[in-house]
Amino acid sequence: MKTLTLNVTNLDGTDHAVEALAGWQVMEILRDHGFPIKAECGGACCCATCHVYVAPDWVDRVNPMGEDEEVMLDSAMDVRENSRLSCQIVMTEALDGLHVIIAPNPE
Amino acid sequence: MDNQGIMAENQHKTDVVIIGAGPVGLFAVFELGLLDIKAHLVDILDRPGGQCAELYPEKPIYDIPALPVVTGQELTDRLMEQIKPFNPVFHFGQMAESLEKTAEGWRVTTDLGTVIDAKVVVIAAGGGSFVPKKPAIPGIDAYEGSAVFYAVRKMEQFRGKHLVIAGGGDSALDWTLNLQPLAASLTLVHRRDDFRAAPDSINKMRALVADGKMKLEIAAITGLSGADGALHAVALQSKEKGDYTIPADCMLAFYGLTMKLGPIANFGLNLHENLVPVDTEKFETATSGIFAIGDINHYPGKLKLILSGFHEAALMAQQAFRYVYPERKLRFQYTTSSSDLQTKLGVAQNEAA
């Protein structure tokens, strides 16, 4: 399977390019690489602790937000226009190079 | 215990105290019960089920053996039914705060002052205690407890206050309706003009707004200003209004719950990345008589699955028996064939008559 790249800006502003596989949730990739997301519910769109911002030039290219996700964002912190729950974005070849910024998540 | 041998209301003595009433803690009651071991459970939530009840009561789970699909709430309900014959005692809405060695075993004390003495302690605390999510607002710490709150303990505290309530779920709406008559002014702040709460509450809130009895701001909270723990204003930002502030002297924030390990970190269990290391024979910690099962434990090959926790509960119970009944010989029996076990479960053939 082709290895894809996920670009991540961490809370401290540092940029990282990490390997990603198609079919994986962005949340799973972030968690495997030790980025500070809790992902408490394990990817079920139930906890809002895998909150990220999608870089502006990628916003229109990721799958649109579902209603569940919109509601769940009500309990996320510092929600912005480009807020997403990373468990609801699945990596595909079309998203090779996707850039997300880690958002504040509960400690 | 007083000299009459009668215990004070919040003092208890039992065989095993289980910290956490999630699916694994509940199933531990069953495995212990089959071995004649009584259990008390402590949980910070106000009901059983742990994450299954709090995070995903409506979500289907597909990997519980023999249940092709079950929701978090159904799984909890079924476990409660399964353990009913063993009459577990629940201490809900409280957090296990301290663990001390006693002559006969262990003493667990909760933040509400409940004291439970037991021979064995089972930590089945999952990802930790559910506590309110703290908004990521710079400087919020300085106001916590004096002007910023995540729960209402006494409504009177808000009488005559200029109150801001943040959030868009049932807690935010319920407290808006309850506190609006008491507060000098009340502003509900939510990120979008849509609420996920009981329709009746939403209608009532909108009617109060229409009557000018409270305000609704669709905005993000960007900051707090005040001095010495006293809040003066809340800074907001919205597309329509840009940056603006509203005067306030109290804020209540309701953004749901998150899990924190909490006082278990201080139980002296040599944590490994916030998990409790155990052996894989008895699921016991390095301290005899203290076990950890379910998502909170750690061992090579650990999988955080409910079914793994069930297995861990069964093996834990075998060793717990040796502490509770040191003089007895452990007899391994099957529920299918043992009339003794069937009697305990209330399903024995000769009991029907």
Side-chain angles (χ1 to χ4, degrees):
Chain A
M1 193 184 290
K2 193 182 163 201
T3 302
L4 312 173
T5 301
L6 176 68
N7 292 302
V8 186
T9 304
N10 208 341
L11 285 174
D12 59 8
T14 55
D15 290 315
H16 308 260
V18 300
E19 282 188 6
L21 290 174
W24 284 51
Q25 295 176 353
V26 169
M27 176 278 283
E28 295 169 315
I29 300 159
L30 294 173
R31 191 178 56 185
D32 274 15
H33 286 90
F35 288 102
I37 54 164
K38 287 172 97 177
E40 283 176 346
C41 77
C45 196
C46 289
C47 71
T49 62
C50 66
H51 179 201
V52 298
Y53 306 120
V54 174
D57 48 333
W58 284 94
V59 167
D60 294 333
R61 286 191 263 175
V62 295
N63 54 299
M65 185 168 352
E67 200 201 336
D68 271 14
E69 187 182 350
E70 179 72 77
V71 170
M72 211 56 238
L73 275 173
D74 285 352
S75 46
M77 308 289 123
D78 199 1
V79 177
R80 301 177 193 165
E81 286 277 295
N82 53 343
S83 283
R84 292 297 303 262
L85 296 180
S86 57
C87 70
Q88 298 302 301
I89 304 173
V90 174
M91 277 308 279
T92 59
E93 289 201 14
L95 291 181
D96 192 11
L98 173 67
H99 180 196
V100 298
I101 298 109
I102 305 288
N105 280 289
E107 291 157 23
Chain B
M1 214 185 302
D2 69 23
N3 55 11
Q4 306 290 305
I6 299 164
M7 291 183 159
E9 209 176 312
N10 59 351
Q11 293 242 345
H12 306 270
K13 198 171 176 179
T14 186
D15 296 329
V16 174
V17 56
I18 301 170
I19 300 173
V24 173
L26 296 178
F27 192 65
V29 171
F30 183 84
E31 288 294 331
L32 292 164
L34 289 181
L35 302 178
D36 290 324
I37 302 170
K38 299 250 171 286
H40 281 226
L41 299 95
V42 177
D43 200 292
I44 193 160
L45 295 178
D46 59 4
R47 59 199 186 283
Q51 291 182 44
C52 286
E54 177 58 35
L55 288 183
Y56 45 85
E58 308 299 332
K59 292 267 168 171
I61 307 169
Y62 300 101
D63 63 351
I64 304 297
L67 294 177
V69 55
V70 65
T71 65
Q73 190 56 51
E74 283 165 356
L75 182 71
T76 304
D77 294 345
R78 286 174 179 235
L79 284 162
M80 287 299 282
E81 185 189 337
Q82 192 168 25
I83 66 176
K84 209 172 167 210
F86 303 112
N87 299 310
V89 179
F90 291 95
H91 304 277
F92 287 125
Q94 42 200 307
M95 180 160 66
E97 201 166 52
S98 71
L99 175 66
E100 299 157 88
K101 185 88 187 84
T102 63
E104 293 181 329
W106 300 94
R107 166 168 289 187
V108 170
T109 307
T110 75
D111 58 343
L112 292 188
T114 303
V115 176
I116 308 165
D117 287 325
K119 296 189 184 87
V120 168
V121 176
V122 176
I123 299 169
S129 296
F130 277 102
V131 295
K133 274 184 195 160
K134 206 170 129 164
I137 301 171
I140 194 167
D141 293 12
Y143 302 99
E144 281 176 353
S146 57
V148 171
F149 305 91
Y150 306 114
V152 176
R153 303 230 185 275
K154 280 190 200 144
M155 282 174 57
E156 276 304 311
Q157 169 179 14
F158 300 100
R159 184 177 292 280
K161 301 285 187 187
H162 296 280
L163 180 61
V164 167
I165 293 185
D170 278 306
S171 299
L173 270 290
D174 288 351
W175 286 116
T176 293
L177 298 179
N178 283 321
L179 294 172
Q180 183 276 330
L182 274 69
S185 74
L186 192 150
T187 307
L188 177 63
V189 181
H190 185 42
R191 58 176 276 266
R192 59 195 182 109
D193 198 6
D194 197 2
F195 295 82
R196 183 55 69 97
D200 182 54
S201 308
I202 301 170
N203 293 340
K204 283 181 177 155
M205 179 275 291
R206 294 218 187 264
L208 288 171
V209 174
D211 291 349
K213 290 179 176 159
M214 62 167 280
K215 284 186 178 149
L216 171 62
E217 298 286 348
I218 304 305
I221 298 175
T222 53
L224 303 171
S225 58
D228 300 326
L231 183 65
H232 299 151
V234 175
L236 304 178
Q237 186 179 60
S238 77
K239 252 199 222 163
E240 292 73 25
K241 300 186 187 175
D243 287 298
Y244 59 113
T245 60
I246 52 171
D249 37 34
C250 279
M251 183 171 88
L252 276 161
F254 298 106
Y255 291 107
L257 304 179
T258 187
M259 289 181 279
K260 275 202 177 158
L261 186 60
I264 290 173
N266 310 320
F267 286 5
L269 298 170
N270 300 317
L271 300 188
H272 167 84
E273 292 175 355
N274 274 349
L275 299 168
V276 183
V278 291
D279 66 61
T280 50
E281 180 192 351
K282 313 176 297 283
F283 298 93
E284 193 168 20
T285 66
T287 308
S288 300
I290 301 181
F291 297 79
I293 57 176
D295 282 1
I296 195 133
N297 74 11
H298 176 76
Y299 53 85
K302 168 72 182 182
L303 282 181
K304 289 189 181 184
L305 289 176
I306 293 170
L307 73 92
S308 303
F310 288 169
H311 160 79
E312 294 159 15
L315 270 69
M316 170 280 293
Q318 302 290 304
Q319 181 65 15
F321 179 90
R322 295 181 169 90
Y323 293 118
V324 175
Y325 298 115
E327 73 292 353
R328 282 210 226 163
K329 188 169 160 54
L330 181 60
R331 176 181 170 207
F332 180 70
Q333 301 179 91
Y334 292 103
T335 57
T336 41
S337 54
S338 159
S339 58
D340 174 40
L341 294 187
Q342 289 165 1
T343 301
K344 287 172 196 171
L345 291 167
V347 295
Q349 291 296 318
N350 55 5
E351 272 206 348

